[in-house]
Amino acid sequence: MGATVTTANNDEKTWGGGHNEPLGASYGKMMMWFFIVSDALTFSGFLGAYGFSRFKFIETWPLADEVFTHFPFMHGVAAPMYYVALMTFILIFSSVTMVLAVDAGHQLKKTKVAIYMFLTIIGGLIFVGSQAWEWKNFIKGEYGAVETVGGSLLQFVDKDGKRVALADFAVKLPEQREALTRSHSTWFMEDAESLPTYTVAEVQAGFKAHPEILIRTEKLTDKKQKTILSREESEKHLATAKYVVEGANLIRNEYGNKLFADFFFFITGFHGFHVFSGVIINIIIFFNVLLGTYEKRKSYEMVEKVGLYWHFVDLVWVFVFTVFYLV
């Protein structure tokens, strides 16, 4: 039915999803397209900001191949980008099952719609779970590093240039340390960080006891590799160490430039929220399919509308994957 707008001089009809459909699209589809366009502009702004920041700090930007090297049940095995590629494949495959669900809806085949919707939901859940697992490893870290007074990041390598974890050389000194808590402090600071595994002194002592270990800075060479310092230069840089950094958060980042972690959490988190929302909507539509709601209506347009959203989320991830992980 059309909505009536009454003025002092005339009565006229405004489109309310009736027979006059702009571009041949129903009201629901048109509103979904409006949302997709506005959301696409939002993601474009985020990715554009990431690109400008990376270009500005290109010399100290972390290498994705050195950051995303984990794979489930393969602890200690370097598998750069393998799991991220698998996540991407799963999400893209879920778009295929969504297309099949929409096609089955056009043919009014309830059983097939339910099967393909279920597969789409499973793919989305796997992706969201994989992203949470990736976040856990990113936050926890693997090797550790130290931050200097000037804010530079120092990582540790052997003579062959392979990363060395703090746990492999740092020593435990007889020093009592206690995390700041409400019950053990006069003035409690809400943003107080938990203590790292080792102190700067313990890292410096362990470094001195292992002459085969060198330091590499976050600055990239012409060959796109981190700059490795000599032993003498390494000792000078380590003398200016102020913090021990383990993993990544919104304040410090063991992998390199702090903005990298900020963008990682924000962009992948924002996209993950979209995927999770899509999964919830798909579950609702899936149960409606099982209940025969759309079969009674003789229309599976709701499946088609949620399909548009799902394809958009998948397409956005292709851009995130390309810009954030590959370039």
Side-chain angles (χ1 to χ4, degrees):
M1 294 179 62
T4 303
V5 178
T6 303
T7 64
N9 299 321
N10 66 334
D11 293 343
E12 58 184 39
K13 297 285 186 178
T14 60
W15 181 53
H19 295 294
N20 298 323
E21 299 176 342
L23 303 177
S26 67
Y27 180 81
K29 286 184 184 178
M30 184 63 70
M31 293 304 102
M32 179 58 74
W33 276 113
F34 282 160
F35 169 78
I36 288 174
V37 170
S38 63
D39 215 26
L41 293 174
T42 303
F43 273 105
S44 298
F46 293 158
L47 293 176
Y50 172 83
F52 282 118
S53 299
R54 176 171 179 171
F55 179 77
K56 182 176 181 179
F57 301 103
I58 188 66
E59 291 186 346
T60 60
W61 207 254
L63 300 174
D65 286 344
E66 294 185 356
V67 178
F68 308 104
T69 60
H70 300 85
F71 203 95
F73 312 111
M74 294 175 60
H75 181 71
V77 178
M81 308 298 292
Y82 289 2
Y83 195 56
V84 180
L86 178 61
M87 289 166 51
T88 304
F89 172 79
I90 292 173
L91 193 62
I92 292 175
F93 186 77
S94 71
S95 258
V96 175
T97 56
M98 179 59 80
V99 168
L100 295 174
V102 172
D103 182 65
H106 289 160
Q107 301 175 43
L108 300 179
K109 295 181 178 179
K110 173 185 171 182
T111 303
K112 284 190 174 182
V113 174
I115 292 173
Y116 291 130
M117 285 290 294
F118 179 75
L119 293 175
T120 302
I121 292 169
I122 294 300
L125 289 174
I126 292 175
F127 180 85
V128 172
S130 298
Q131 207 166 44
W133 183 84
E134 186 184 45
W135 270 43
K136 177 185 72 69
N137 287 283
F138 186 77
I139 293 171
K140 182 180 179 182
E142 184 176 5
Y143 295 101
V146 295
E147 184 179 317
T148 66
V149 176
S152 300
L153 194 75
L154 305 179
Q155 299 170 336
F156 300 90
V157 296
D158 59 20
K159 292 184 177 180
D160 297 325
K162 296 181 180 179
R163 292 289 302 276
V164 176
L166 298 181
D168 294 336
F169 68 91
V171 298
K172 282 290 185 180
L173 298 178
E175 179 182 0
Q176 295 295 325
R177 298 190 298 155
E178 186 175 9
L180 190 63
T181 62
R182 290 183 185 274
S183 59
H184 293 85
S185 60
T186 304
W187 297 98
F188 175 78
M189 295 179 291
E190 292 292 343
D191 60 346
E193 300 175 72
S194 59
L195 293 174
T197 307
Y198 304 98
T199 65
V200 172
E202 290 171 338
V203 173
Q204 290 173 333
F207 182 80
K208 185 178 294 186
H210 292 77
E212 74 280 3
I213 296 178
L214 301 174
I215 281 179
R216 74 174 192 178
T217 66
E218 51 188 344
K219 187 175 181 180
L220 292 174
T221 64
D222 296 336
K223 296 181 178 180
K224 299 297 181 181
Q225 295 177 341
K226 300 290 185 178
T227 303
I228 299 178
L229 306 177
S230 65
R231 180 68 185 186
E232 183 179 355
E233 292 175 325
S234 297
E235 291 175 349
K236 290 181 180 179
H237 278 70
L238 188 58
T240 64
K242 185 177 182 181
Y243 299 106
V244 174
V245 184
E246 294 175 317
N249 51 49
L250 296 178
I251 301 176
R252 294 188 176 86
N253 175 18
E254 78 162 46
Y255 308 101
N257 194 289
K258 301 172 185 178
L259 279 177
F260 178 83
D262 296 341
F263 277 114
F264 175 80
F265 289 126
F266 193 77
I267 294 178
T268 62
F270 192 61
H271 177 267
F273 172 76
H274 278 70
V275 177
F276 180 74
S277 300
V279 169
I280 298 300
I281 297 171
N282 278 337
I283 290 175
I284 295 173
I285 302 300
F286 171 72
F287 280 109
N288 282 336
V289 171
L290 294 181
L291 293 172
T293 302
Y294 309 123
E295 189 174 30
K296 295 174 184 176
R297 296 178 186 176
K298 302 298 181 183
S299 172
Y300 282 84
E301 185 179 300
M302 283 300 297
V303 176
E304 189 171 354
K305 285 188 285 189
V306 75
L308 289 174
Y309 175 79
W310 194 255
H311 296 322
F312 165 71
V313 169
D314 289 5
L315 181 61
V316 167
W317 177 253
V318 171
F319 283 99
V320 172
F321 177 70
T322 302
V323 173
F324 207 97
Y325 294 88
L326 296 183
V327 176

XYZ file of all heavy atoms in Angstrom, residues 59-100:
339
model
N 58.729 2.608 6.642
C 60.034 2.077 7.036
C 59.968 1.255 8.315
O 60.859 0.441 8.572
C 61.043 3.217 7.206
C 61.444 3.897 5.900
C 62.540 4.914 6.108
O 62.794 5.263 7.286
O 63.147 5.347 5.123
N 58.922 1.465 9.129
C 58.830 0.735 10.399
C 57.574 -0.139 10.465
O 57.229 -0.623 11.536
C 58.822 1.722 11.583
O 57.688 2.596 11.471
C 60.099 2.540 11.614
N 56.906 -0.314 9.333
C 55.654 -1.084 9.347
C 55.967 -2.581 9.439
O 56.857 -3.076 8.753
C 54.859 -0.801 8.083
C 53.385 -0.980 8.272
C 52.612 -2.000 7.813
C 52.503 -0.091 8.966
N 51.300 -1.811 8.180
C 51.207 -0.651 8.905
C 52.678 1.107 9.662
C 50.092 -0.050 9.487
C 51.578 1.714 10.246
C 50.315 1.136 10.152
N 55.244 -3.323 10.287
C 55.510 -4.766 10.430
C 55.266 -5.524 9.133
O 54.442 -5.120 8.301
C 54.500 -5.198 11.505
C 54.169 -3.955 12.243
C 54.234 -2.845 11.236
N 55.972 -6.631 8.958
C 55.773 -7.498 7.801
C 54.725 -8.550 8.152
O 54.880 -9.290 9.123
C 57.096 -8.174 7.422
C 58.245 -7.224 7.052
C 59.529 -8.033 6.852
C 57.911 -6.436 5.803
N 53.668 -8.623 7.365
C 52.562 -9.551 7.663
C 53.045 -11.000 7.707
O 52.552 -11.797 8.502
C 51.456 -9.384 6.626
N 54.012 -11.331 6.881
C 54.527 -12.708 6.853
C 55.209 -13.098 8.155
O 55.366 -14.283 8.450
C 55.526 -12.879 5.701
C 54.825 -12.942 4.355
O 53.597 -13.153 4.352
O 55.494 -12.784 3.322
N 55.632 -12.115 8.936
C 56.276 -12.398 10.214
C 55.305 -12.308 11.386
O 55.635 -12.710 12.493
C 57.431 -11.418 10.448
C 58.576 -11.577 9.478
C 59.739 -10.672 9.805
O 59.629 -9.864 10.758
O 60.767 -10.762 9.121
N 54.125 -11.773 11.134
C 53.146 -11.593 12.200
C 52.143 -12.739 12.239
O 51.910 -13.353 13.284
C 52.404 -10.252 12.038
C 51.344 -10.098 13.130
C 53.378 -9.091 12.072
N 51.569 -13.063 11.074
C 50.505 -14.063 11.013
C 51.084 -15.397 10.541
O 50.907 -15.804 9.395
C 49.389 -13.582 10.085
C 48.894 -12.199 10.435
C 49.271 -11.098 9.672
C 48.092 -12.002 11.537
C 48.822 -9.826 9.993
C 47.639 -10.734 11.873
C 48.006 -9.644 11.103
N 51.786 -16.048 11.447
C 52.484 -17.285 11.089
C 51.917 -18.519 11.791
O 52.446 -19.610 11.629
C 53.978 -17.173 11.454
O 54.088 -16.941 12.872
C 54.632 -16.010 10.713
N 50.855 -18.347 12.575
C 50.329 -19.465 13.347
C 49.323 -20.286 12.543
O 48.649 -19.780 11.653
C 49.654 -18.958 14.623
C 50.564 -18.193 15.525
N 50.803 -16.845 15.376
C 51.322 -18.589 16.580
C 51.656 -16.437 16.298
N 51.988 -17.479 17.046
N 49.269 -21.564 12.894
C 48.283 -22.466 12.315
C 47.845 -23.432 13.417
O 48.688 -23.934 14.162
C 48.865 -23.253 11.132
C 47.830 -23.759 10.178
C 47.489 -23.042 9.052
C 47.173 -24.968 10.418
C 46.524 -23.498 8.180
C 46.205 -25.435 9.558
C 45.867 -24.698 8.421
N 46.536 -23.673 13.560
C 46.062 -24.542 14.651
C 46.734 -25.911 14.655
O 46.943 -26.515 13.593
C 44.561 -24.665 14.359
C 44.229 -23.432 13.592
C 45.431 -23.136 12.758
N 47.080 -26.376 15.839
C 47.680 -27.697 16.058
C 49.065 -27.836 15.419
O 49.570 -28.931 15.259
C 46.769 -28.809 15.530
C 45.339 -28.679 15.974
C 44.341 -28.364 15.065
C 44.999 -28.844 17.312
C 43.027 -28.229 15.478
C 43.685 -28.717 17.730
C 42.688 -28.418 16.808
N 49.673 -26.704 15.057
C 51.026 -26.728 14.482
C 51.888 -25.721 15.240
O 52.453 -24.799 14.660
C 50.987 -26.402 12.980
C 50.275 -27.445 12.149
S 50.120 -26.958 10.394
C 51.839 -26.771 9.936
N 51.976 -25.890 16.542
C 52.720 -24.959 17.377
C 54.208 -25.013 17.043
O 54.813 -26.079 16.961
C 52.518 -25.297 18.854
C 53.244 -24.370 19.779
N 52.853 -23.058 19.963
C 54.345 -24.545 20.551
C 53.668 -22.477 20.819
N 54.594 -23.354 21.194
N 54.779 -23.827 16.849
C 56.203 -23.740 16.555
C 56.542 -23.878 15.090
O 57.699 -23.709 14.704
N 55.550 -24.199 14.260
C 55.780 -24.338 12.819
C 55.384 -23.037 12.127
O 54.247 -22.587 12.256
C 54.968 -25.511 12.233
C 55.193 -25.606 10.729
C 55.361 -26.812 12.926
N 56.321 -22.442 11.424
C 56.039 -21.186 10.726
C 55.207 -21.465 9.483
O 55.635 -22.174 8.581
C 57.343 -20.489 10.354
N 54.001 -20.923 9.459
C 53.110 -21.080 8.299
C 52.551 -19.710 7.945
O 51.380 -19.417 8.215
C 51.991 -22.064 8.613
N 53.396 -18.845 7.370
C 52.976 -17.462 7.122
C 51.772 -17.353 6.203
O 51.776 -17.857 5.078
C 54.225 -16.823 6.493
C 55.006 -17.962 5.947
C 54.743 -19.117 6.859
N 50.711 -16.731 6.707
C 49.502 -16.404 5.955
C 48.656 -17.610 5.579
O 47.602 -17.449 4.957
C 49.870 -15.631 4.667
C 50.754 -14.428 4.884
S 49.985 -13.169 5.931
C 48.683 -12.630 4.867
N 49.056 -18.814 5.948
C 48.298 -20.000 5.545
C 46.898 -20.005 6.154
O 45.915 -20.282 5.479
C 49.038 -21.282 5.947
C 50.287 -21.574 5.155
C 50.726 -20.697 4.162
C 51.048 -22.708 5.402
C 51.888 -20.956 3.443
C 52.205 -22.977 4.677
C 52.619 -22.091 3.709
O 53.758 -22.345 2.992
N 46.844 -19.713 7.455
C 45.542 -19.786 8.116
C 44.628 -18.651 7.672
O 43.421 -18.832 7.548
C 45.717 -19.762 9.637
C 44.482 -20.193 10.371
C 43.892 -21.425 10.122
C 43.872 -19.373 11.321
C 42.759 -21.829 10.784
C 42.741 -19.772 11.997
C 42.185 -21.003 11.715
O 41.050 -21.411 12.368
N 45.191 -17.471 7.439
C 44.396 -16.348 6.944
C 43.834 -16.686 5.564
O 42.681 -16.362 5.253
C 45.248 -15.069 6.878
C 44.416 -13.902 6.364
C 45.819 -14.736 8.244
N 44.645 -17.350 4.733
C 44.169 -17.761 3.407
C 43.037 -18.786 3.545
O 42.052 -18.739 2.793
C 45.321 -18.349 2.601
N 43.161 -19.698 4.510
C 42.105 -20.684 4.730
C 40.821 -20.010 5.197
O 39.720 -20.353 4.735
C 42.568 -21.712 5.772
C 41.543 -22.792 6.151
C 41.165 -23.622 4.928
C 42.088 -23.689 7.263
N 40.938 -19.044 6.100
C 39.770 -18.286 6.552
C 39.079 -17.600 5.377
O 37.845 -17.599 5.281
C 40.197 -17.229 7.572
C 40.632 -17.759 8.920
S 41.485 -16.488 9.912
C 40.316 -15.127 9.812
N 39.872 -17.018 4.503
C 39.323 -16.320 3.343
C 38.587 -17.288 2.430
O 37.486 -16.984 1.932
C 40.456 -15.625 2.570
O 41.165 -14.744 3.453
C 39.909 -14.833 1.396
N 39.172 -18.457 2.211
C 38.521 -19.462 1.359
C 37.176 -19.893 1.950
O 36.182 -20.021 1.228
C 39.433 -20.681 1.195
C 38.771 -21.834 0.498
C 38.625 -21.840 -0.882
C 38.283 -22.915 1.227
C 38.003 -22.900 -1.528
C 37.668 -23.980 0.599
C 37.523 -23.972 -0.794
N 37.138 -20.107 3.267
C 35.904 -20.537 3.922
C 34.813 -19.479 3.774
O 33.652 -19.790 3.477
C 36.164 -20.846 5.409
C 37.039 -22.096 5.534
C 34.857 -21.039 6.169
C 37.498 -22.378 6.956
N 35.194 -18.209 3.957
C 34.203 -17.136 3.843
C 33.691 -17.001 2.414
O 32.491 -16.803 2.191
C 34.814 -15.815 4.318
C 33.818 -14.678 4.562
C 32.836 -15.043 5.663
C 34.550 -13.393 4.924
N 34.589 -17.110 1.441
C 34.165 -17.025 0.046
C 33.277 -18.209 -0.325
O 32.278 -18.071 -1.047
C 35.395 -16.949 -0.887
C 36.124 -15.615 -0.688
C 34.983 -17.109 -2.345
C 37.402 -15.492 -1.480
N 33.616 -19.387 0.185
C 32.792 -20.572 -0.095
C 31.394 -20.409 0.507
O 30.410 -20.892 -0.062
C 33.464 -21.825 0.480
C 32.756 -23.101 0.120
C 32.885 -23.641 -1.145
C 31.949 -23.739 1.053
C 32.218 -24.817 -1.496
C 31.284 -24.917 0.722
C 31.415 -25.456 -0.556
N 31.303 -19.717 1.648
C 29.986 -19.470 2.234
C 29.140 -18.571 1.338
O 27.909 -18.630 1.379
C 30.130 -18.850 3.630
O 30.597 -17.516 3.563
N 29.785 -17.737 0.541
C 29.042 -16.921 -0.429
C 28.449 -17.804 -1.520
O 27.359 -17.537 -2.024
C 29.961 -15.867 -1.057
O 29.754 -14.598 -0.493
N 29.186 -18.856 -1.886
C 28.682 -19.794 -2.898
C 27.430 -20.496 -2.383
O 26.419 -20.610 -3.096
C 29.768 -20.829 -3.265
C 29.201 -21.870 -4.233
C 30.984 -20.146 -3.871
N 27.473 -20.964 -1.142
C 26.300 -21.639 -0.584
C 25.129 -20.673 -0.438
O 23.966 -21.067 -0.582
C 26.639 -22.259 0.785
O 27.148 -21.246 1.661
C 27.675 -23.357 0.628
N 25.416 -19.402 -0.177
C 24.344 -18.414 -0.102
C 23.698 -18.202 -1.468
O 22.471 -18.076 -1.587
C 24.888 -17.084 0.451
C 23.837 -15.985 0.528
S 22.415 -16.415 1.554
C 23.074 -16.100 3.183
N 24.507 -18.173 -2.533
C 23.968 -18.060 -3.894
C 23.057 -19.238 -4.195
O 21.968 -19.081 -4.771
C 25.115 -17.982 -4.929
C 24.572 -18.156 -6.346
C 25.851 -16.663 -4.809
N 23.491 -20.424 -3.794
C 22.681 -21.621 -4.022
C 21.380 -21.567 -3.224
O 20.330 -22.024 -3.698
C 23.475 -22.870 -3.641
C 24.718 -23.147 -4.498
C 25.513 -24.325 -3.943
C 24.317 -23.407 -5.956
